[in-house]
Structure formats: C-alpha cells, structure tokens
C-alpha cells in the first residue's frame, strides 16, 4: 500500500495556505463560533493502520453525518419497510429544501436530506421515549467507534432547537401527510441531539469502518450489519450523501461519503479504509470546502475511487 502517512502529511501541507476558505454554518449559532482555520484528516485502514494529520484529534459537531448511523439503526429496526417512508433517489435540492415534499406527498427523496433524516428519526423513536432513542444512537456510535468517551454537545442541540425553524416546518409538513408518527417536538428532539454528537476525525473514521469492511468492524470483530446492507448504505452515501453536490463529489472523489454542516465528511473506500476529514468552512451547498478538496487529493494519490477498481 502507498505510504499513507506521507500522503496525509502532503495533503495537509498543501491545504494549509487555504485554511479559512469557505463559510462556517451560521444558521446554528453555536456552529458560527467555531474557528474556521482548522483541518483534520484521519484514515483508518481495514488492517488497523491509523494515519492522521492536522486537527484530527479536535472534537467537532458531526451534524448530518449522524444520518448514516441513524439509517443503520432504522434499517436494523424495520428492515426494508423503511422504504415505505423515505425514498432512495438523489434530491438535486438543498439539504433543507421543502419543495419536493409537497409534490411527493410527504415522502422525502432520501434518508440524508433533512426531511428524510427526520422521518428516519421517527422510525428509531418508535417504542421509545426521545431520551431513550438518543441514548440508543449514542450507544451505537460508541460501539462502532469502540470509544466510550463520545458524547453529545448539549449546547449545540439547544442552539439548533432554538433556531430550527425550517426543520420544524419540514416535520410539521410530514406530520400533516401522516409520515411522522410521533409529536414533532419529540422527533426533532431526537434529530437535534443526533446532529449534536461530537467526535474527532479518528473516532469518526473508526465509526465508519464497518461500512468499509462488509458490515463488520475488523478491529473489534463486532458485526454491525450484513455485507448486503453495508453495500446498500454505501450506495446511498455515494448517490445522496452530499445533497445537490453529490454528483460533483462522485466526480471528484468517487467514494461513498456523508457530509455535515459542522465541516466533517466521512468517506468509505470499500475493502480498504474509512476516512474522516474536517474543516469548518463550507462550500455553497453546505459541504466542507477543504474537506472535499482533501478527499479529492487523497483519491487521486491512492487510486481509491470506486471507479478506479
Ligand atoms: O438540520 C440541520 O440543519 C443540521 N442539524 C444538519 C444539516 C447538515 O449537516 C447538512 N449537511 N451538510
């Protein structure tokens, strides 16, 4: 295998002069306070090698990356029936868009746009109090990352609750169509807390390893999902994981990936590695600008694009 440490060091050095490019998400007040001049990279291979650079040990808000873990939990709970509540097609719209929902009768296009993720949270909430569903997610993330220290940043959850007007609109709209089965406040309580999980790049890359290794974390031996389910989650990440930037991400990087407005991206090189990058400045569609650039450079240097195989 290529010298991954040299590669991550090179990428970090090449991007250092660009630190601060892009715009930090400011519609969640707590995220607006994050110093934009940070960049972390972590690669965890399926053989257990870990290569890091920059701010790979700094905690950040995983935001929409949590949607991958909630999707995994929801599929575990209701299996393929989930697809009666949410679609599997790229939306071509912004992550918080409401327009398609009316045309499509309250069934969101995919589980990664906000409306889809809120429906998924409703599924995970079933049979639980909101506190228990949040606990289930946190326990799951700790299990897949094999790290009991991972926690939720309550100040981020509160900050988003007080300004989450669009998410309340989306949730109320879906409730009107009968596609939310629990009170809007409960579902969004779960959703805002899952988005507020704090992790660093190393923890996040470890957490994604089951997707790179046919559903089983090769470091712990924990079986998380079947190989078929891991393949399908990766397919959704490739086609829908970057919202209306998904085509461009596939073109430039060629790996299943999921972004968050905290500036993190989890990317999966199937059979090879799980990769986490973080830099808070976002591009126009809400994906980390330097994080995407780092992954583009990584894919070019390693040949890990799924289209290179
Ligand atoms: O619902 C929101 O607006 C945020 N909690 C999450 C959005 C997000 O991360 C979109 N990703 N790029």
């Amino acid at each position: 295998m290529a010298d991954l440490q040299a590669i991550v060091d090179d990428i970090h050095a090449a991007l250092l002069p660009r630190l601060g490019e892009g715009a930090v998400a400011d519609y969640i007040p707590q995220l607006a306070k994050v110093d934009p001049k940070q960049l972390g990279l972590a690669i965890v291979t399926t053989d257990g090698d870990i290569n890091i650079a920059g701010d790979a040990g700094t905690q950040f808000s995983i935001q929409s990356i949590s949607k991958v873990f909630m999707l995994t939990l929801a599929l575990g709970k209701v299996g393929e029936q989930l697809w009666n509540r949410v679609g599997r097609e790229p939306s071509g719209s912004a992550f918080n868009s409401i327009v398609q929902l009316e045309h499509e009768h309250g069934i969101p296009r995919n589980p990664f746009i906000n409306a889809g993720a809120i429906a998924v949270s409703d599924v995970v909430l079933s049979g639980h109090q909101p506190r228990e569903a949040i606990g289930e997610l946190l326990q799951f993330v700790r299990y897949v990352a094999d790290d009991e220290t991972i926690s939720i940043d309550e100040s981020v959850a509160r900050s988003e609750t007080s300004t989450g007007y669009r998410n309340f609109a989306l949730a109320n709209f879906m409730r009107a169509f009968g596609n939310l089965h629990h009170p809007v406040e409960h579902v969004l309580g779960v959703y805002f807390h899952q988005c507020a999980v704090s992790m660093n790049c190393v923890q996040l890359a470890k957490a994604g390893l089951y997707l790179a290794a046919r559903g089983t974390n090769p470091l712990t031996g924990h079986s998380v999902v079947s190989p078929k389910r891991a393949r399908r989650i990766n397919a959704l990440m490739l086609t829908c994981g970057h919202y209306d930037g998904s085509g461009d991400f596939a073109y430039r990087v060629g790996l299943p990936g999921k972004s968050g407005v905290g500036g993190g991206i989890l990317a999966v090189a199937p059979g090879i590695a799980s990769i986490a990058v973080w830099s808070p400045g976002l591009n126009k569609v809400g994906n980390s600008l330097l994080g995407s650039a780092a992954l583009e450079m990584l894919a070019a240097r390693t040949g890990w694009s799924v289209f290179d195989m």
Side-chain angles (χ1 to χ4, degrees):
M1 191 176 298
D3 181 350
L4 292 178
Q5 190 56 48
I7 293 175
V8 290
D9 285 340
D10 286 354
I11 294 171
H12 184 255
L15 293 175
L16 264 186
R18 297 179 56 189
L19 283 193
E21 279 185 25
V24 174
D26 57 5
Y27 71 99
I28 301 174
Q30 204 62 22
L31 294 186
K33 296 181 186 165
V34 177
D35 175 7
K37 295 197 164 185
Q38 303 187 77
L39 170 64
L41 300 99
I43 300 177
V44 180
T45 66
T46 51
D47 321 321
D49 284 339
I50 301 180
N51 296 276
I52 62 172
D55 303 302
T58 305
Q59 306 287 320
F60 60 91
S61 188
I62 69 168
Q63 291 295 316
S64 288
I65 302 169
S66 65
K67 294 170 182 174
V68 174
F69 304 122
M70 284 298 263
L71 172 65
T72 304
L73 283 178
L75 285 169
K77 219 163 178 161
V78 300
E80 294 293 299
Q81 279 179 26
L82 181 68
W83 307 119
N84 298 327
R85 306 272 305 272
V86 56
R88 298 192 295 265
E89 293 297 340
S91 69
S93 304
F95 63 86
N96 54 9
S97 170
I98 200 165
V99 284
Q100 274 166 350
L101 261 187
E102 177 154 37
H103 290 300
E104 296 173 2
H105 312 289
I107 307 289
R109 272 288 171 99
N110 68 64
F112 295 147
I113 51 173
N114 285 10
I118 292 167
V120 168
S121 300
D122 187 69
V123 169
V124 173
L125 180 56
S126 191
H128 290 304
Q129 291 302 317
R131 201 173 350 96
E132 295 166 340
I134 295 162
E136 187 179 348
L137 184 258
L138 188 58
Q139 205 181 354
F140 178 73
V141 173
R142 288 174 173 170
Y143 175 73
V144 287
D146 194 30
D147 189 330
E148 289 297 313
T149 68
I150 295 167
S151 63
I152 291 177
D153 185 334
E154 285 293 337
S155 69
V156 173
R158 267 198 307 276
S159 178
E160 191 170 1
T161 308
S162 61
T163 56
Y165 310 112
R166 273 179 174 264
N167 286 322
F168 278 99
L170 290 167
N172 276 299
F173 209 48
M174 281 192 287
R175 181 94 164 139
F177 277 107
N179 197 20
L180 281 197
H181 300 169
H182 301 90
V184 162
E185 292 70 25
H186 290 194
V187 183
L188 288 181
V190 175
Y191 175 75
F192 292 142
H193 279 83
Q194 74 185 59
C195 289
V197 169
S198 268
M199 294 171 86
N200 63 38
C201 288
V202 177
Q203 291 168 329
L204 184 58
K206 284 186 178 169
L209 210 49
Y210 70 99
L211 294 171
R214 298 170 56 80
T216 297
N217 182 326
L219 306 188
T220 59
H222 292 158
S223 167
V224 183
V225 292
S226 66
K228 178 169 152 187
R229 185 156 288 164
R231 187 175 74 236
R232 288 175 157 180
I233 294 171
N234 283 329
L236 290 163
M237 288 170 73
L238 183 80
T239 51
C240 311
H242 283 73
Y243 314 106
D244 40 344
S246 297
D248 191 55
F249 188 81
Y251 180 85
R252 291 176 188 275
V253 180
L255 295 173
K258 182 73 208 78
S259 64
V261 290
I265 302 177
L266 171 65
V268 176
I272 305 170
S274 171
I275 306 137
V277 295
W278 169 63
S279 189
L282 307 179
N283 63 18
K284 286 196 181 65
V285 292
N287 303 317
S288 174
L289 191 100
L290 294 188
S292 308
L295 288 169
E296 185 174 358
M297 292 162 84
L298 180 72
R301 287 279 297 267
T302 55
W304 285 354
S305 160
V306 294
F307 306 108
D308 265 334
M309 300 292 155

